[in-house]
């Protein structure tokens, strides 16, 4: 699946009141951030060579992989940010729905997209397992800010960027700053769209439903 198709859902910017709407908003935000941050970094690094690099099949495949891996990481970061935000609306860490609800939401965000080509054989199992561990650690901690929570996604984008390892090390701070800036804008937009009391109620309702 071409990653650009993921961004077409971003044209719908309605209110976020329900869990399905939250899953869609997280998918939209993760796609927008992964696409924008990866292209921004490559343009800055490649300079005038950028157009020629984009025509190289191997480089293009590497960039596509970077965007998808970034999407999966950033989606997880956004979920942790949303969980933090909902603490202000009466949901305690590990409270209504507990970790199970956030695990399910993450899986739904990934499952909403066709499996990328480079993940066709393995799926997202390793990424999902890593998110589960990160979630458990997150729920045991006091609330953290966006800048701290988005460092994971920035690191993944940099790790998969189609550049030499030595260049990655030099560019780490630049990429982190760029991703943090973009994350803050995206989270501000989500805060404006979300009906937080309604989302908190939806989570409590989902937690009260019998397990299927």
């Amino acid at each position: 699946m071409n990653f650009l198709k993921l961004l077409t859902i971003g044209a719908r910017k309605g209110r976020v009141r329900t869990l399905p709407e939250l899953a869609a908003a997280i998918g939209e935000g993760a796609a927008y951030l992964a696409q924008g941050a990866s292209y921004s970094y490559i343009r800055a690094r490649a300079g005038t060579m950028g157009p020629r690099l984009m025509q190289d099949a191997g480089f293009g495949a590497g960039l596509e992989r970077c965007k998808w891996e970034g999407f999966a990481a950033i989606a997880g970061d956004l979920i942790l940010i949303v969980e933090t935000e909902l603490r202000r609306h009466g949901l305690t860490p590990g409270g209504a729905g507990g970790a199970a609800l956030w695990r399910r939401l993450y899986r739904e965000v990934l499952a909403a997209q066709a499996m990328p080509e480079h993940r066709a054989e393995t799926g997202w199992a390793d990424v999902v397992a890593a998110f589960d561990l990160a979630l458990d650690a997150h729920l045991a901690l006091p609330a953290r800010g966006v800048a701290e929570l988005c460092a994971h996604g920035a690191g993944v984008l940099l790790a998969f960027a189609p550049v030499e390892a030595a260049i990655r090390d030099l560019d780490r701070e630049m990429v982190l700053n760029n991703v943090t800036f973009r994350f803050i804008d995206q989270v501000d937009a989500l805060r404006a769209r979300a009906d937080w009391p309604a989302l908190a109620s939806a989570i409590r309702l989902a937690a009260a439903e019998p397990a299927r």
Side-chain angles (χ1 to χ4, degrees), residues 118-143:
H118 77 279
R119 285 274 178 179
E121 295 185 4
T122 62
W124 291 114
D126 60 324
V127 172
V128 168
F131 171 78
D132 289 350
L133 291 174
L135 173 65
D136 289 341
H138 168 81
L139 293 174
L141 293 171

Side-chain angles (χ1 to χ4, degrees), residues 167-185:
I167 293 176
R168 289 194 189 97
D169 291 339
L170 291 172
D171 291 344
R172 190 167 303 279
E173 184 175 356
M174 177 184 73
V175 172
L176 178 58
N177 290 339
N178 179 270
V179 171
T180 300
F181 177 80
R182 291 170 180 272
F183 246 95
I184 290 171
D185 276 356

